[in-house]
Each structure stands twice: as structure tokens, then as C-alpha cells.
Amino acid sequence: MRISDNPLRGQQFPAALLLAAAALGLLLANLATHDAIADILHAHIAIPGTGLDLSVHEWVADGLLAIFFLVVAIELRHELTHGELDSPRKAVQPAIAATGGVVVPIAVYLLIAGPASGEGTAVGWPIPTATDIAFALGVLAMFGKGLPSAVRVFLLALAILDDIIGIIFIAVLFAHDVNWLMFALAVACVAVFAVLSRVVAKNGSSGIAVLMGVIGVFAWGFMALSGIHATIAGVMLGLAMSPAPAEKTRHALEPTVNGVILPIFAFVAAFVVIPQVSPSELSPAFWGILIALPVGKIIGIGLFGWLSMQLRPKGAEPALRLPDILAAGTLGGIGFTVSLLLANLAFAGADEIRDQAILGVLGGSLIALLLSAVIVSARARAYRTLAAATE
């Protein structure tokens, strides 16, 4: 954890801010304020001569969130090269657990909302696979005082692998009518961006850094016009950037991402009307996500995490005990940011199902949050008691 006096660089405050923004969006969507805010979110803003014509909601989800994915990609690269996933030995247990944390929620979702439901909701299967790093680490920081550092390392690696899978889903599953020329231009811009970042790393030129920003915007624009989700441009730019300027960029953007971009996205994504229907009339997508996030994640991560423990060398002590893995599994059920994005993408053409899917994400993440608060607190208390007895 990086120490800083700025609460927006921490873990607890940004998590609380995200939850508050989502709650505010849900509240205002169900009051008399709905129509006025909905008109703003549906208003279109076009850039003349570019072909870019997006609603305010789309500018947030495609534009602002690309900056979030830029920061995520920088973190991913660091962990894969110098962090918690820089060797097969470090990566094997969280990789196996992450596999379970993806496969089992998909199975649970399809069992409830798959083709057998007859509702056409099977396309939502990627939604409950995500883990929100900021939220999960924030809850761990709030309730996990006394837990061994291995729990945080395991959760961080697990969430990073989930992010990689989520990014692949966004890039592969939700591309439509791909314009390969625009995509090639986006890739070319990323290549130029990568070269310029290495020049900045050597010379530190502020002028070239500004040019990198311009090239990055062009990469995003071409990606948006290509039919591939524009946030993928942020991922590509973050992975392509030279380490030194990448770390400076992450440090500069982190407070803005945590304090502005993610709360705005949470507000906009959670701005849905709660349907005035009986529970039996709710979409299978709602129930599938509501159950798959907290239940599917804890079962998948717990079961596959236990299997990974059996693969350790004979006689070697496990880095984590099964109860610790189960605690991480409950935290993994906090899908939130990426799950909200996946819900918007999966049901883009079905507003009513999309809104219920978003409610499923909010409800499932809240259940996982409350469950993890109880389990993580219990495990932390057990470790503190053991430490006190040992002393």
C-alpha cells in the first residue's frame, strides 16, 4: 500500500465515495428528479467532422472510464513485471482461484438466466465474473486489521487476474461491426505513444508529454469509431507506456480517477428506476447476477483455492488457510465498476433488462460487501486474538 496524506490515494475513502455515489444515483432516479437528470444523461454531444456523437451517459462510460482503464493497465503491467504476479510461483494459486471465481459465477448465472429461462438473458453471463479492486481492498482495509499480508497479496492478484479477464470480455464479446481501418489507426497511435513515452523516460521533455496526451486522445477516438469498446484504448496505452512515465501518470491521475471519474460513473450507472413489480416478475438476469456475484464467487474462489492448496509441494506450509481464502472469496463478489460496465454492454439493446441487471450488480455487490465485512472481521479478530495469546 502506498502511504499518502491524500485520502483519495488510499483505499477506504474511495470505496466509501463509490458506494455513496451509486446510492445517490439510485435515489435520484426514483424521485421527482428522474426526468430532469435523465434528459441530461440522454443528451448527445457530437464532435463535428469526426463521426463521434455520443450521449452524456456514453461519454462517461466510453470516455471517462477509458482513463480509469489506463490506470488499471499501468497497475496490471507493474504487477505482471515487478509485483505480485511476476513469477509462476506467485501467480499459480491466485490464477487457479481466479479461474474458479470466473467459471462458477458463470455457471450459477446460466443456471438461473440461461437459455432454459426462455427470457433471452443468457448474454449476461460475463457480468458476475468481475471483482472491483478498489472496493474489495477498501473493505479489506476497513475490516481486516490483523490479517496476514498474504491475504491482501492474494486478493490483489486475484482481482488483477479478474480485470484481465474482464478486459478480454469487453474487447472480444462486445465488439460490433469492426472498422479495421479505424482499429489500425488506433493501434498506430498506440505505437507512436509507446515510442514517445520512451523518449520522455530518457529526456523528460514536457512538450513530448503533451504530445503523448494528444496522441492518446486520437487513439481513443479511432478506437471509439472502430466498433471496439473505446475503453480498450486506455488499456492498450497503459500497457504500452514506458514504466517511469507510466508510474508518474498513474500517480497524477489516481486522485482524479478515485475522486471524480469512478464516482461519476457509479452515479450514472446506478441511475436506474427500481421496477414496481413483484419479485416473481423480475428478470432472470436480476436474480442470476444477484446470486452469482456473492454465492458464485465465494464457492468458486473457495473451491478452486482449496484445490490450489493441494498442489503445493509435499510438506510445504500453505501461504493461506482455507478460511482466509473464503474471506477473499467474499470480497471477490464485490463486482461493481467492471460489472456495471458489462451490464450496460451485455443488455445495451434492452433497457428494462439492463436496468434490472444493474440492480442485480448493486444488490449482489452489497450482499458480498456485508458478507465480507462479517467474515473478514471474524478472521481478523481470530488473528489478533492469536497474536495476543502468543505475546
Side-chain angles (χ1 to χ4, degrees):
M1 176 179 172
R2 297 177 177 88
I3 305 300
S4 173
D5 293 332
N6 187 341
L8 291 175
R9 295 191 189 279
Q11 295 167 352
Q12 299 183 29
F13 183 69
L17 196 59
L18 266 182
L19 186 61
L24 182 62
L26 188 61
L27 175 66
L28 295 182
N30 291 276
L31 296 177
T33 50
H34 173 272
D35 290 347
I37 297 175
D39 287 343
I40 294 173
L41 296 181
H42 294 149
H44 274 244
I45 300 174
I47 300 179
T50 65
L52 289 171
D53 183 4
L54 306 175
S55 67
V56 171
H57 185 287
E58 290 169 330
W59 278 109
V60 171
D62 295 11
L64 288 183
L65 215 57
I67 301 173
F68 161 71
F69 275 99
L70 169 68
V71 173
V72 167
I74 292 171
E75 293 278 10
L76 288 179
R77 177 175 176 173
H78 172 77
E79 298 301 335
L80 289 168
T81 55
H82 299 95
E84 306 305 339
L85 296 172
D86 65 353
S87 70
R89 181 183 60 80
K90 290 182 180 179
V92 62
Q93 187 177 27
I96 294 172
T99 301
V102 170
V103 172
V104 175
I106 290 173
V108 172
Y109 178 87
L110 290 176
L111 190 65
I112 298 169
S117 70
E119 299 288 337
T121 53
V123 294
W125 61 264
I127 298 169
T129 62
T131 295
D132 191 299
I133 294 179
F135 237 133
L137 290 178
V139 173
L140 182 64
M142 289 178 196
F143 300 102
K145 184 180 179 182
L147 284 175
S149 60
V151 176
R152 185 183 183 277
V153 169
F154 177 79
L155 177 64
L156 180 61
L158 183 78
I160 287 168
L161 290 165
D162 264 6
D163 270 350
I164 293 172
I165 294 168
I167 288 165
I168 292 171
F169 283 161
I170 293 168
V172 175
L173 299 178
F174 302 111
H176 55 88
D177 301 325
V178 177
N179 183 323
W180 292 108
L181 174 60
M182 292 295 107
F183 179 72
L185 290 173
V187 171
C189 286
V190 171
V192 173
F193 182 90
V195 172
L196 292 177
S197 74
R198 280 147 182 80
V199 174
V200 169
K202 289 181 179 179
N203 303 327
S205 171
S206 58
I208 296 179
V210 172
L211 180 59
M212 283 176 61
V214 174
I215 296 295
V217 171
F218 272 95
W220 175 87
F222 287 131
M223 190 67 74
L225 293 171
S226 75
I228 297 173
H229 199 267
T231 54
I232 298 301
V235 175
M236 294 172 66
L237 292 169
L239 293 176
M241 195 181 301
S242 184
E247 180 58 24
K248 290 181 180 178
T249 300
R250 184 211 60 78
H251 189 266
L253 290 177
E254 188 176 53
T256 302
V257 168
N258 290 340
V260 180
I261 291 175
L262 287 181
I264 288 175
F265 174 73
F267 176 89
V268 170
F271 189 81
V272 296
V273 177
I274 298 174
Q276 303 298 311
V277 297
S278 66
S280 62
E281 295 177 281
L282 289 168
S283 167
F286 168 81
W287 294 111
I289 298 165
L290 185 75
I291 296 171
L293 269 174
V295 177
K297 280 287 187 180
I298 191 171
I299 293 175
I301 292 171
L303 177 60
F304 279 62
W306 176 82
L307 289 173
S308 71
M309 291 170 61
Q310 312 313 306
L311 299 176
R312 70 183 186 277
K314 189 175 180 179
E317 281 293 315
L320 290 176
R321 304 292 179 182
L322 181 58
D324 300 324
I325 292 175
L326 291 175
T330 61
L331 290 162
I334 306 174
F336 213 74
T337 305
V338 178
S339 285
L340 288 172
L341 178 59
L342 289 169
N344 275 289
L345 294 174
F347 297 113
D351 291 351
E352 185 176 341
I353 298 177
R354 181 201 64 210
D355 288 354
Q356 292 193 34
I358 288 171
L359 290 173
V361 172
L362 296 176
S365 295
L366 182 59
I367 292 170
L369 191 157
L370 296 174
L371 187 61
S372 62
V374 173
I375 294 178
V376 169
S377 295
R379 288 302 296 159
R381 187 164 54 251
Y383 274 105
R384 290 197 301 270
T385 302
L386 180 62
T390 302
E391 290 175 1

